[in-house]
Amino acid sequence: MTSLDFASQIKQSIAKLTDPQQAPSELSLTNCDREPIHIPNAIQFHGVLLTFDEDDLVILQVSQNSDHFLGRIPDQLLGKYLSALLNAEQITAIQGCLKSEFDNVNPLHFLIEVGHDIQHFTGIVHRIDGVIVLELEPCVEQEAVNFFDFYKFVKVPINRIQNTQNLTELCQQAVSTIRSITEFDRVMLYRFDKTGAGHVIAEEKSETADSFLGLRYPATDIPKQAKELYRLSLLRIIPDAAYDRILLEPALNPATNAPLDMSLCCLRSVSPVHTEYLENMGVRASMSISLLCDRQLWGLIACHHLSPRTLSYEKRTICELLGQVISSEIGTKVDAEDSDSKIRLQAIHSRFVNTIAHCQTITEAFNQNTQDLMDLVSASAIVFCEGNKISMFGNAPPEESLADLVEWIDRQMGEDAVYSTNTLVTDYPKFASYKAIASGLLALRISQTQQTYLLWFRPEVLQSIAWGGNPHKFTNGNADKNYRITPRKSFERWQETVERKSLPWKQYEINAALELRSRIIGIVLQKSDELALLNTELERSNIELDAFAYVASHDLKEPLRGIHNYSTFLIEDYGQQLGEEGEEKLATIVRLTQRMEDLINSLLHYSRLGRTELLVQPTDIDSIVKNVLDVIKISQLESVEFRIPRSLPISECDRTQVTELFTNLISNAIKYNNKDRKWVEIGYISPSPNERTLLGLTAFHTSQTIFFIKDNGIGIRPKHLETIFKIFKRLHPTTQYGGGTGVGLTITKKIVERHGGTIVVHSVFGEGSTFYFTFGKQS
């Protein structure tokens, strides 16, 4: 393939962006992002480029203007050793470059024989794609800079830059300094926002140049790949935007058989779209200096001249150095501007940590610190979500709108713990009706397992933005209604009112939210460790208590039985001698010992529950309830209506213990009922989250099937609902409702808990009670 063939291909690929017949179906300036601007296979007019093999120094590629600068056409150089152009001393200097960092030795100065004259060149060397690239520019004698000039150009500006007090002052000093060195007609500092759009925040210009200060430019004005090249190459100059492209020969890099990657080339040719952009702006020459913060492109110092302008490599080097100093100062000034806010945030963090350390739950801590937490990120509302529990403070969206929002946020986060946007109603159209109060969102995921989230909201803020031309116009039309992509032709101030946006979230606010999460997790883990230690101690104590209860109750039965038997013997053998009063006292002893034996038997049974291993297996709850009812009906003299609305599910549980559970609850439902027509209902429900809330069953998990036993009995007074599950707790004298030991509900609760379930009671005194409980897994 010849260089002309390849040049034709390059032109064709660019034509796809500009030719109406080949325009994409979806026309947008983002199509410029696909232009391969790093491999133009061409250079600008003001220098010459060669590539050569690092090992044998054979020249591989040459720009077509070599005859103009070097007095040799490409064919006289290609395939020749570098010594055909440079002397031994110059070649040695280049080889010295290859053994060290190029930035430490560039630029090199060459004296090259051109015809009968000796020409002075500045040379820049770098390595790419397995070859060495040498760029040569003729020295600009009137702008040559010696060491003392360099010191003068650098020392005073650096002092002034470092003595600025804030970001605004720094940026203005930067543009003033660069213009005084370069003498460009207009020098402006251009800052990028998170979307990639730019804002001119400082400017220094001549009287003849238009002012762009305060104007904004859409992200599409500088495509993504161009921004990346700005990040890699800190200075870029175009001496004359109306130049003719100079192609390379051959078109392909012989070392890779692909176009040469020219990302780091100073002479790299410019995109036709960009040169047209400069022409539309009325700019003939330009230079840009990249400003980096944390290795990312923060902004540019853009220099414009209304006529062609060449700048020596030495002066460009001074500008590049000053750009790095300015970049360093920008990071310092940005941090300093936020220092007061960061101190305030630290105080809020400390107060919250102190509060949460003394609270039992995270919800309790949030309820006590709502205003602090809103102030943490300057929000107008805050929402705390923990599972299905939602706490809201401030001017927040309605609660029913938040469940879907949290699911959407979770998808946006992916593996991250934070998500922020100041265009929520655009990103999540369901919230369009809440734009006045929720155009901005900062979401923090504290625990994905527990579904714990913290959401901050900001209201809509209408903004009036001045653009450099209409940012929404990017096409040209002709009489045939064909369209091609071109840069904007107008850069006049164009005012736009921006809606559906909040104030943007600053990075330090997002960092404050992440630090809050870290502190919460740290405290939760600490409390978890404390609870684990406490549970271990409680488990050991319970085991010891169970063992003690078993041994004590077992050992008490023998002397108790002796008291009971001897009292019975005394009544039988000496009743007449003791008289009626003595016999009555002995009968009381017999009755009390029987009562005590019943209590001991109940205690023994309760302690065995904790010691007996569960035999968990799929169990038909319907058959358990049927057997329980059959046994109860045999001993039940009164008529009772048993209601079972639908078949009960199969569950994984211990059949014996669950049989006892249903026996206790159904027996109590019958026993504590003074109605003429008694009924007991046995069933189950699978409520939705909202239904669980309405029924007051928030203690149960979403996925659980909840069993219930409901009656129309005497009910329970509200003051007793918290104590009915305590051991030996009776609400009535032993002579009422058939007596009992007060252990039945305690045993019931223990059976449920051993199965990993929960039991609660809802009751209306005089009308009846409903016991809700879960256990095992349903199938």
Side-chain angles (χ1 to χ4, degrees):
M1 177 186 291
T2 68
S3 59
L4 292 176
D5 294 332
F6 183 73
S8 176
Q9 288 189 8
I10 290 289
K11 290 178 179 177
Q12 289 174 15
S13 65
I14 294 172
K16 291 181 180 179
L17 298 173
T18 58
D19 182 48
Q21 301 301 322
Q22 303 187 61
S25 58
E26 293 186 6
L27 209 55
S28 164
L29 276 182
T30 56
N31 291 307
C32 294
D33 290 338
R34 296 190 289 273
E35 184 183 357
I37 61 176
H38 65 299
I39 51 171
N41 193 49
I43 64 171
Q44 298 181 59
F45 72 97
H46 61 284
V48 62
L49 182 144
L50 305 89
T51 72
F52 58 90
D53 185 271
E54 182 172 353
D55 295 326
D56 57 19
L57 305 182
V58 171
I59 298 174
L60 304 174
Q61 287 178 289
V62 182
S63 57
Q64 290 181 349
N65 62 347
S66 61
D67 184 37
H68 174 74
F69 285 104
L70 303 177
R72 300 165 177 84
I73 64 173
D75 286 344
Q76 291 177 303
L77 294 171
L78 290 171
K80 304 295 191 298
Y81 291 107
L82 197 58
S83 57
L85 179 66
L86 305 177
N87 61 39
E89 183 180 348
Q90 293 167 343
I91 293 174
T92 301
I94 291 176
Q95 289 175 324
C97 289
L98 305 182
K99 299 176 182 178
S100 60
E101 294 291 334
F102 293 112
D103 288 342
N104 296 335
V105 292
N106 279 328
L108 298 172
H109 292 281
F110 297 106
L111 296 176
I112 299 177
E113 185 177 348
V114 179
H116 299 292
D117 297 325
I118 299 297
Q119 299 290 338
H120 292 256
F121 289 90
T122 298
I124 302 101
V125 184
H126 73 272
R127 182 187 288 110
I128 193 84
D129 288 345
V131 300
I132 304 302
V133 178
L134 173 62
E135 298 176 86
L136 297 172
E137 295 182 34
C139 292
V140 182
E141 294 295 338
Q142 65 272 24
E143 291 197 352
V145 179
N146 60 34
F147 171 80
F148 296 103
D149 292 328
F150 186 89
Y151 182 75
K152 178 187 68 176
F153 276 126
V154 170
K155 183 179 185 299
V156 174
I158 287 180
N159 287 340
R160 289 175 178 170
I161 287 168
Q162 292 179 333
N163 287 331
T164 54
Q165 300 301 310
N166 53 55
L167 185 62
T168 301
E169 190 178 327
L170 168 65
C171 293
Q172 190 57 48
Q173 182 62 51
V175 295
S176 297
T177 298
I178 297 300
R179 184 162 184 264
S180 68
I181 295 171
T182 63
E183 299 180 1
F184 273 85
D185 288 326
R186 177 176 50 242
V187 177
M188 59 186 186
L189 197 147
Y190 185 90
R191 180 179 183 176
F192 295 109
D193 63 19
K194 288 183 178 180
T195 67
H199 181 200
V200 179
I201 59 176
E203 181 185 67
E204 188 77 17
K205 70 179 191 66
S206 67
E207 293 182 357
T208 57
D210 294 331
S211 175
F212 290 168
L213 183 62
L215 297 184
R216 295 176 186 266
Y217 296 87
T220 49
D221 273 21
I222 304 179
K224 292 178 181 178
Q225 79 275 33
K227 289 187 175 78
E228 177 61 15
L229 290 180
Y230 281 128
R231 191 183 70 82
L232 295 175
S233 184
L234 299 182
L235 188 139
R236 176 80 161 138
I237 189 167
I238 305 172
D240 187 352
Y243 73 95
D244 292 325
R245 291 156 46 90
I246 311 298
L247 297 178
L248 301 184
E249 288 191 16
L252 300 181
N253 176 2
T256 62
N257 201 33
L260 178 68
D261 184 344
M262 303 181 71
S263 299
L264 303 178
C265 292
C266 299
L267 295 172
R268 172 171 46 84
S269 186
V270 183
S271 162
V273 177
H274 184 61
T275 54
E276 188 175 350
Y277 182 90
L278 293 176
E279 180 184 352
N280 294 345
M281 193 183 283
V283 172
R284 190 68 181 268
S286 75
M287 184 177 76
S288 59
I289 305 167
S290 303
L291 302 176
L292 305 184
C293 262
D294 297 325
R295 299 184 179 181
Q296 299 303 312
L297 189 63
W298 184 89
L300 293 173
I301 296 177
C303 308
H304 294 159
H305 208 63
L306 306 184
S307 59
R309 173 135 183 80
T310 301
L311 207 64
S312 69
Y313 188 85
E314 289 84 356
K315 282 195 174 182
R316 280 145 49 193
T317 301
I318 291 170
C319 292
E320 183 178 344
L321 172 62
L322 290 175
Q324 294 181 54
V325 174
I326 294 165
S327 292
S328 176
E329 287 296 313
I330 284 172
T332 303
K333 296 295 189 291
V334 169
D335 289 341
E337 283 193 339
D338 295 334
S339 59
D340 291 342
S341 297
K342 290 178 181 178
I343 292 171
R344 177 177 58 83
L345 298 187
Q346 193 63 38
I348 292 174
H349 274 302
S350 299
R351 287 198 297 270
F352 182 77
V353 169
N354 184 58
T355 300
I356 197 173
H358 295 87
C359 292
Q360 296 299 315
T361 64
I362 300 177
T363 306
E364 182 184 346
F366 281 119
N367 290 340
Q368 293 184 25
N369 287 268
T370 53
Q371 191 58 52
D372 265 355
L373 290 174
M374 285 195 287
D375 292 343
L376 184 70
V377 294
S378 301
S380 59
I382 187 172
V383 174
F384 178 63
C385 306
E386 189 174 24
N388 294 298
K389 297 178 183 177
I390 295 178
S391 303
M392 302 190 304
F393 308 95
N395 196 10
E399 184 173 345
E400 60 269 18
S401 68
L402 296 174
D404 289 344
L405 175 65
V406 169
E407 289 184 10
W408 178 81
I409 291 170
D410 205 49
R411 292 194 298 271
Q412 306 310 305
M413 284 183 173
E415 297 298 319
D416 296 330
V418 68
Y419 172 77
S420 66
T421 176
N422 69 326
T423 56
L424 178 61
V425 295
T426 301
D427 303 336
Y428 184 68
K430 288 184 179 180
F431 257 45
S433 58
Y434 309 126
K435 69 174 184 176
I437 59 174
S439 285
L441 167 71
L442 174 58
L444 190 67
R445 179 165 58 204
I446 298 172
S447 170
Q448 190 168 23
T449 305
Q450 301 297 325
Q451 289 292 289
T452 307
Y453 295 85
L454 192 57
L455 313 179
W456 288 277
F457 293 97
R458 280 181 177 172
E460 177 186 42
V461 175
L462 296 179
Q463 300 177 62
S464 183
I465 295 179
W467 293 95
N470 186 341
H472 309 298
K473 290 185 178 180
F474 53 81
T475 60
N476 270 345
N478 57 30
D480 298 325
K481 302 298 183 183
N482 289 323
Y483 290 87
R484 69 185 182 90
I485 295 175
T486 66
R488 289 177 290 106
K489 293 187 178 298
S490 172
F491 292 86
E492 293 182 0
R493 184 177 294 267
W494 190 86
Q495 208 75 17
E496 179 183 26
T497 299
V498 178
E499 301 177 337
R500 300 163 66 90
K501 282 187 176 183
S502 73
L503 293 176
W505 304 95
K506 295 185 177 180
Q507 188 58 48
Y508 74 83
E509 293 172 329
I510 296 172
N511 293 341
L514 287 170
E515 186 178 348
L516 176 69
R517 177 179 183 269
S518 298
R519 294 197 178 196
I520 291 171
I521 291 175
I523 292 172
V524 168
L525 289 175
Q526 180 183 341
K527 286 183 174 289
S528 178
D529 289 341
E530 293 171 357
L531 285 173
L533 182 61
L534 181 61
N535 285 337
T536 301
E537 289 296 315
L538 286 174
E539 186 177 353
R540 182 183 60 79
S541 297
N542 285 337
I543 292 172
E544 292 175 354
L545 187 60
D546 280 348
F548 171 77
Y550 180 80
V551 172
S553 57
H554 183 274
D555 292 348
L556 283 172
K557 291 185 72 174
E558 185 176 350
L560 189 64
R561 193 176 295 113
I563 294 171
H564 179 275
N565 291 340
Y566 273 99
S567 298
T568 303
F569 293 155
L570 284 172
I571 292 173
E572 292 174 354
D573 296 343
Y574 301 98
Q576 292 181 351
Q577 297 176 0
L578 293 173
E580 183 177 346
E581 184 179 354
E583 188 174 346
E584 185 176 327
K585 289 180 179 179
L586 284 173
T588 299
I589 292 174
V590 171
R591 188 176 67 256
L592 290 176
T593 55
Q594 184 61 54
R595 165 76 175 160
M596 190 170 183
E597 185 172 8
D598 291 343
L599 291 174
I600 290 172
N601 286 335
S602 297
L603 183 60
L604 272 171
H605 181 48
Y606 180 75
S607 67
R608 286 194 186 106
L609 278 177
R611 300 161 66 87
T612 305
E613 185 176 349
L614 290 179
L615 181 60
V616 177
Q617 57 186 357
T619 304
D620 186 353
I621 304 300
D622 256 339
S623 66
I624 286 181
V625 172
K626 182 179 181 300
N627 292 338
V628 168
L629 295 182
D630 287 343
V631 173
I632 289 176
K633 287 175 183 177
I634 293 173
S635 57
Q636 184 62 42
L637 301 177
E638 299 178 85
S639 175
V640 179
E641 178 187 356
F642 295 104
R643 302 173 180 175
I644 305 178
R646 54 177 173 166
S647 297
L648 303 175
I650 294 174
S651 298
E652 292 188 8
C653 59
D654 183 298
R655 185 181 186 87
T656 302
Q657 291 199 5
V658 170
T659 297
E660 185 173 2
L661 183 155
F662 277 99
T663 300
N664 287 345
L665 291 177
I666 295 172
S667 297
N668 282 352
I670 298 170
K671 181 193 295 186
Y672 298 103
N673 194 323
N674 56 8
K675 302 294 194 302
D676 293 333
R677 295 184 59 186
K678 299 179 176 65
W679 56 262
V680 178
E681 182 176 341
I682 304 120
Y684 73 95
I685 56 175
S686 300
S688 67
N690 289 337
E691 291 171 335
R692 288 204 336 274
T693 301
L694 291 173
L695 292 171
L697 301 176
T698 54
F700 298 97
H701 296 304
T702 308
S703 59
Q704 288 184 306
T705 295
I706 304 173
F707 292 92
F708 67 86
I709 294 178
K710 185 176 182 180
D711 63 60
N712 65 334
I714 61 174
I716 304 169
R717 296 181 188 275
K719 65 180 181 179
H720 296 309
L721 290 175
E722 296 294 327
T723 60
I724 60 171
F725 292 107
K726 292 184 178 180
I727 193 167
F728 301 136
K729 179 66 179 180
R730 284 186 52 81
L731 303 182
H732 309 281
T734 55
T735 55
Q736 292 184 2
Y737 300 108
T741 62
V743 180
L745 286 180
T746 307
I747 289 173
T748 298
K749 186 171 186 288
K750 186 152 190 173
I751 291 172
V752 169
E753 289 177 346
R754 288 206 70 199
H755 283 78
T758 304
I759 184 168
V760 297
V761 59
H762 292 177
S763 185
V764 178
F765 184 70
E767 296 183 12
S769 303
T770 305
F771 285 83
Y772 296 94
F773 55 94
T774 58
F775 54 82
K777 298 178 181 178
Q778 287 73 46
S779 57

